[in-house]
Amino acid sequence: MTATIAPLTERPAWKALEAHYQQVRQVHLKQLFADDPRRGERFTAEAAGLYLDYSKNRITGETLKLLVQLAEDSGLRARIDAMFRGEKINLTEKRAVLHVALRTPRGVSIRVDGQDVVPEVHAVLDKMSDFANRVRRGAWLGHTGKRMKNVINIGIGGSYLGPEMAYLALRPYSERAMTFRFVSNVDGANFTEATHGLDPGETLFVISSKTFTTLETMTNAQTARQWLIQGLGREDAVAKHFVAVSTNAREVQKFGIDTANMFGFWDWVGGRYSMDSAIGLSTMLAVGPENFREMLAGFHAMDEHFRTAPFEQNLPALLGLLTVWYNNFFGAQTVGIMPYTAYLARFPAYLQQLQMESNGKHVDLETRRPVSYETGPVIWGEPGTDGQHSFYQLIHQGTKLIPCDLIGFCQPVSPLARHHDLLMANLFAQAEALAFGKTEEELTAEGSPAFQTPFRVCEGNRPTNVILAESLTPRSLGSLVALYEHNVFTQGAIWNIDSFDQWGVELGKVLAKRIIPELESASDPGLNHDSSTNALIRRYRRLRTGAQG
Ligand code: G6Q
């Protein structure tokens, strides 16, 4: 891969940034805007239909220069090239990281182990399109001859968050005569509610699991199978009502799904980077193949921008570098993601996995030793304006620094145009208020009573990025997701961590397996955990049915 690079804190740009931070940490955004009347136009960048205003960040031209230098010192360019060339940059799993191949146009070639993967990508997309068209046209009939009106995606983590987020985001583009639901949690309530009121004869299950062994998904898939067989009275009904999305044909077959009804993907697609692979089948069923391909075009446009644009104008690189700036120099612990559209209600949750599972790491790729600096921040958020009426208080006046991304669209999706002006006025006002605040003098001049004034002061100097697109479409959604994928990539490259493994998640996957039989056994399970876990299990066994455990 890349040549060995100096540890992060010894890179020249890092040291320069440390010194520079001491000079600028007290500087107020008010001052920066006063010093440069064109700042709001200069600190902006635009690509793939997205406009980024990063002027309300606590940076100067020098900060930007040093951050870009840090990217260079960290070998970001070489890492980007290695990813796009299909090199095995996921070192701990010895895998290529090629979600960018999922949206590469036909005819371009990307090789993994000598084999061009782009034709396979398009073969699966064609198969998905054919299937989605048949279901949407009513040509794919269920066991009792009815057309499919309900689609239930069963999957968790990367096999759920993207599909649900994209479905909600693109509802105006979706087939409204059909119902789409998502079952992820092993909590039976999830399945019960998702199937409530549905006719099994009109219901299609999409079992989405890369491994096809995940406890939650397999449990829900078995329950779905029983629900269907009970409802339709025949075991062979499964064939018309179940399809699988997986990399594991053997397990799919074992479950009883014909591999002709399986949509494949590859080990070089990470779960949280898979919403544009066959894992997006439920999205395609909802919005149709053309809109799905538009979404892929949006992803691809941002990929090309990331691959080719100089870092000073490179949206994902800039966002990633700004995250490093606040995370490692200002000591900020979190990043808020506030989409100003209800259609992106699940976007913060989607980004939570994308960023926290990717960059919640603590081992340096070169030295294999714990890093001596902070890595991935906590990601959280809610749509504006709702958030404004709850937790924004802490962002405005609390003691913590919380950089936020405010995401908005110039054209409304809903026909209620006045609502949209109000919504966007709030986005602009929040970014303004967070940056510039309100001083004691201003409050006094406005007639604030003296006893209240100190409590009403808003210091400002709270950084935001504003991301604007013309409208929320399949294409702009694709660009937006790719923007954050590559933002995460940039951060991981600077921190020199593996953004593409998830050993913590793997641990979680096996832990419960030991306890399941202890909960289910009829006789005393002879517990051998710590005293807290033992007591909790005993209590659960006792109270679960009211019987003696
Ligand atoms: C994603 C993670 C994880 C994964 C789920 C589901 O990057 O690895 O969230 O997507 O655990 O795994 P399966 O798709 O294998 O069921």
Side-chain angles (χ1 to χ4, degrees):
M1 225 191 64
T2 50
T4 304
I5 38 176
L8 176 57
T9 52
E10 285 165 33
R11 291 173 210 158
W14 183 272
K15 292 204 176 293
L17 277 163
E18 277 177 331
H20 173 71
Y21 167 70
Q22 294 305 330
Q23 288 162 5
V24 298
R25 68 193 182 95
Q26 306 280 21
V27 176
H28 201 288
L29 280 166
K30 252 186 224 171
Q31 189 61 49
L32 295 174
F33 273 85
D35 290 349
D36 176 3
R38 294 201 53 233
R39 183 179 170 90
E41 291 140 52
R42 279 204 315 120
F43 287 83
T44 63
E46 195 166 0
L50 301 183
Y51 174 80
L52 168 66
D53 173 359
Y54 62 99
S55 63
K56 295 192 187 80
N57 280 290
R58 293 167 68 170
I59 57 168
T60 63
E62 178 67 9
T63 323
L64 193 60
K65 205 179 94 201
L66 292 174
L67 286 171
V68 167
Q69 188 57 48
L70 180 66
E72 308 284 2
D73 287 2
S74 306
L76 176 60
R77 178 63 61 204
R79 281 200 196 227
I80 295 173
D81 292 345
M83 170 168 74
F84 279 86
R85 270 201 308 270
E87 284 182 31
K88 298 193 173 161
I89 60 167
N90 175 356
L91 293 183
T92 77
E93 296 183 308
K94 296 199 166 101
R95 284 179 181 166
V97 174
L98 267 183
H99 39 278
V100 293
L102 299 170
R103 51 265 190 158
T104 296
R106 277 182 221 273
V108 178
S109 98
I110 298 183
R111 293 183 181 276
V112 178
D113 294 330
Q115 198 188 336
D116 185 1
V117 298
V118 179
E120 296 174 56
V121 165
H122 284 276
V124 173
L125 276 173
D126 290 344
K127 183 173 169 181
M128 288 165 65
S129 304
D130 177 56
F131 175 70
N133 280 332
R134 282 200 284 157
V135 172
R136 287 163 59 86
R137 273 204 319 264
W140 175 282
L141 298 179
H143 184 71
T144 54
K146 293 184 183 172
R147 65 187 290 171
M148 296 292 118
K149 282 200 187 146
N150 318 308
V151 174
I152 301 187
N153 185 76
I154 296 184
I156 195 164
S159 301
Y160 151 65
L161 284 159
E164 188 190 51
M165 181 279 288
Y167 166 66
L168 292 175
L170 301 178
R171 276 198 82 168
Y173 293 83
S174 73
E175 176 51 67
R176 297 287 193 170
M178 292 171 75
T179 301
F180 291 85
R181 293 185 183 164
F182 297 83
V183 176
S184 58
N185 204 308
V186 76
D187 179 355
N190 204 179
F191 183 86
T192 306
E193 291 302 327
T195 47
H196 185 80
L198 300 187
D199 172 358
E202 298 176 336
T203 303
L204 176 72
F205 288 98
V206 179
I207 313 297
S208 299
S209 175
K210 183 172 170 181
T211 55
F212 232 72
T213 55
T214 305
L215 173 83
E216 293 90 335
T217 301
M218 290 303 109
T219 306
N220 281 319
Q222 290 296 354
T223 301
R225 194 191 159 94
Q226 283 155 20
W227 179 82
L228 187 96
I229 294 170
Q230 251 166 33
L232 298 183
R234 294 193 49 148
E235 196 136 329
D236 56 358
V238 169
K240 288 283 175 204
H241 294 264
F242 277 75
V243 296
V245 178
S246 187
T247 56
N248 192 342
R250 212 161 52 95
E251 287 296 326
V252 168
Q253 225 161 7
K254 261 211 278 182
F255 181 87
I257 297 177
D258 185 346
T259 46
N261 299 330
M262 168 180 158
F263 302 85
F265 59 115
W266 307 271
D267 73 354
W268 42 260
V269 184
R272 55 194 174 277
Y273 296 88
S274 67
M275 59 167 278
D276 49 341
S277 72
I279 289 291
L281 183 62
S282 59
T283 315
M284 192 192 270
L285 284 161
V287 304
E290 271 177 36
N291 282 319
F292 194 84
R293 284 177 196 269
E294 271 290 296
M295 184 178 80
L296 297 184
F299 270 101
H300 181 65
M302 185 55 76
D303 293 344
E304 283 305 283
H305 167 72
F306 183 54
R307 191 173 68 79
T308 57
F311 295 144
E312 297 80 359
Q313 291 150 30
N314 192 312
L315 274 70
L318 287 168
L319 285 186
L321 290 168
L322 286 166
T323 301
V324 171
W325 177 233
Y326 293 117
N327 189 68
N328 295 90
F329 296 90
F330 282 84
Q333 294 283 322
T334 81
V335 174
I337 307 285
M338 317 300 171
Y340 276 68
T341 165
Y343 287 114
L344 286 181
R346 293 292 282 160
F347 194 56
Y350 173 76
L351 290 188
Q352 232 162 21
Q353 179 187 28
L354 182 69
Q355 297 216 31
M356 292 167 76
E357 203 170 67
S358 296
N359 286 344
K361 310 287 165 62
H362 73 292
V363 179
D364 184 288
L365 268 175
E366 306 282 330
T367 63
R368 300 185 193 167
R369 298 171 74 95
V371 297
S372 61
Y373 42 83
E374 292 284 328
T375 61
V378 174
I379 303 295
W380 61 285
E382 279 288 328
T385 63
D386 295 88
Q388 291 173 208
H389 296 266
S390 79
F391 54 76
Y392 272 43
Q393 164 62 34
L394 187 148
I395 310 176
H396 281 287
Q397 284 194 307
T399 54
K400 294 180 171 55
L401 181 72
I402 303 180
C404 292
D405 291 355
L406 310 183
I407 303 167
F409 298 88
C410 298
Q411 293 164 17
V413 177
S414 106
L416 304 172
R418 170 119 207 289
H419 285 241
H420 200 66
D421 287 343
L422 301 185
L423 179 69
M424 293 303 289
N426 272 281
L427 185 162
F428 300 136
Q430 287 298 321
E432 192 174 28
L434 286 164
F436 303 109
K438 191 139 246 193
T439 61
E440 204 161 333
E441 296 72 51
E442 285 166 339
L443 284 160
T444 307
E446 286 171 15
S448 164
F451 78 96
Q452 255 181 10
T453 305
F455 301 96
R456 296 175 68 171
V457 168
C458 288
E459 285 173 339
N461 220 11
R462 268 59 170 176
T464 54
N465 291 306
V466 173
I467 298 166
L468 282 186
E470 210 170 280
S471 57
L472 180 54
T473 59
R475 187 178 276 258
S476 63
L477 180 68
S479 299
L480 193 61
V481 173
L483 170 68
Y484 279 94
E485 285 178 346
H486 301 319
N487 165 3
V488 169
F489 183 95
T490 301
Q491 297 165 29
I494 307 287
W495 293 322
N496 209 28
I497 51 178
D498 192 327
S499 300
F500 302 102
D501 62 12
Q502 55 282 313
W503 298 107
V505 178
E506 308 299 334
L507 174 66
K509 283 187 177 185
V510 296
L511 282 180
K513 292 208 170 120
R514 179 175 162 207
I515 297 182
I516 295 166
E518 295 172 346
L519 299 187
E520 289 183 331
S521 101
S523 56
D524 185 340
L527 299 173
N528 194 18
H529 301 271
D530 59 275
S531 60
S532 160
T533 310
N534 286 345
L536 289 168
I537 293 175
R538 278 199 208 98
R539 191 175 180 82
Y540 174 75
R541 283 179 58 92
R542 207 170 53 242
L543 296 182
R544 176 178 47 179
T545 57
Q548 296 300 308

